Amino acid sequence: MGVVNVTPDSFSDGGKFLDSEAAVAQARRLIAEGADVLDIGGESTRPGAESVSEAEELARVLPLIETLTAESALPISIDTMKPAVARAAVQAGAAIWNDVTALGYAPESLPTAAALGCTVILMHMQGTPRTMARDPRYADVVAEVAAFLDGRARAAMAAGVSPARIWLDPGIGFGKTAEHNLTLLAHLGPIVALGFPVVLGVSRKRFIGAVDPSTAARADDRLGGSVAAALAGARAGVAVVRVHDVRETRQALAVQAAIEAAG
Ligand code: HH2
């Protein structure tokens, strides 16, 4: 799954135009590099990030989804916590609703997902993007994340979401210390064992900067660590890796698979 962010720093018309052009170019690049899914987001979920209005988020993502569905059959995932944004994105051609709040942001999230009939990604997060980095605590991070995801999958099914359309994600970096993230990556088994495809987002995340402090200040210096974590996820049975660097990750996964096949 290739990541395409449409989160402009500038709200001027000029800035927006340039950013949406850049987003289309980035999406085309990831398609050419072999992405199987594109994940499009119009609201940053980085620790401390401010939320954006529904209208602004729609203005960022809808033109991109419309452009891409017109020129490619690749499935598109909409990374949003807002049910109205998910609905408009699916109506514009998105096939997957990627929700970092596991359909918990609004009361209408669950019924909206059921009515849309799209695939949903239910992700674990402790707190909210604004607060989650403050002081995350768990007695047993693996058991708690697995129990949460199991509960949200049950809630989604009870609301009418087909079990065949549920994917789960442990939410690496969302209300977790570097140690929590590494513990989860070392013990993905209980989450994979819940029986749904598992999505893993490790690309360029801060825990890599904790392991290699020389990259602490620069997220785009974390390619090696991102690929290492994606490979660990694949070995543990993860179905989808959400990445910024599709070409390098595909190559690493292919070499790992070739070595396993030769063994
Ligand atoms: N991580 C980010 C955003 N969306 N969705 C899922 N399912 N899993 C993730 O791990 C995940 C996600 C991180 O977002 P952000 O920090 O805003 O940056 P970027 O989108 O460039 O990764």
Side-chain angles (χ1 to χ4, degrees):
M1 170 185 278
V3 178
V4 184
N5 286 314
V6 205
T7 46
D9 298 310
S10 163
F11 290 88
S12 72
D13 284 341
K16 220 183 268 176
F17 174 73
L18 286 176
D19 279 303
S20 72
E21 288 283 288
V24 172
Q26 173 67 358
R28 289 187 181 136
R29 181 158 54 240
L30 297 183
I31 293 171
E33 290 184 5
D36 294 319
V37 185
L38 289 182
D39 187 42
I40 295 176
E43 177 177 36
S44 176
T45 49
R46 287 207 172 80
E50 295 297 324
S51 48
V52 297
S53 75
E54 196 172 290
E56 179 60 32
E57 202 179 328
L58 281 169
R60 292 177 183 181
V61 298
L62 278 187
L64 179 60
I65 295 171
E66 283 159 5
T67 302
L68 293 175
T69 49
E71 65 183 46
S72 159
L74 209 67
I76 287 175
S77 145
I78 174 70
D79 187 351
T80 187
M81 55 181 92
K82 299 190 187 77
V85 173
R87 188 184 308 112
V90 169
Q91 282 162 359
I96 301 165
W97 178 2
N98 174 21
D99 186 355
V100 299
T101 72
L103 302 178
Y105 174 72
E108 36 328 342
S109 295
L110 283 166
T112 301
L116 290 174
C118 59
T119 293
V120 293
I121 301 175
L122 306 176
M123 197 199 79
H124 175 273
M125 163 164 57
Q126 187 177 91
T128 66
R130 207 187 303 217
T131 63
M132 65 189 180
R134 277 183 201 154
D135 186 21
R137 281 166 198 256
Y138 301 85
D140 179 339
V141 68
V142 175
E144 286 168 49
V145 170
F148 171 85
L149 293 175
D150 185 47
R152 294 312 293 164
R154 286 171 197 273
M157 291 186 285
V161 176
S162 160
R165 297 211 177 276
I166 295 174
W167 298 357
L168 303 179
D169 185 330
I172 297 299
F174 285 84
K176 293 159 187 103
T177 63
E179 194 184 342
H180 293 140
N181 291 315
L182 292 167
T183 302
L184 275 168
L185 289 170
H187 301 280
L188 289 167
I191 295 165
V192 172
L194 293 173
F196 299 92
V198 173
V199 179
L200 191 67
V202 286
S203 189
R204 301 184 182 178
K205 286 195 174 164
R206 286 181 184 199
F207 77 93
I208 299 168
V211 174
D212 176 2
S214 75
T215 70
R218 288 188 50 88
D220 50 6
D221 274 352
R222 298 177 188 155
L223 175 59
S226 302
V227 170
L231 291 180
R235 281 196 302 275
V238 158
V240 179
V241 283
R242 179 185 182 277
V243 304
H244 301 85
D245 303 285
V246 169
R247 201 177 76 86
E248 294 82 354
T249 310
R250 271 205 91 103
Q251 186 181 83
L253 289 168
V255 170
Q256 174 166 271
I259 292 169
E260 280 169 3

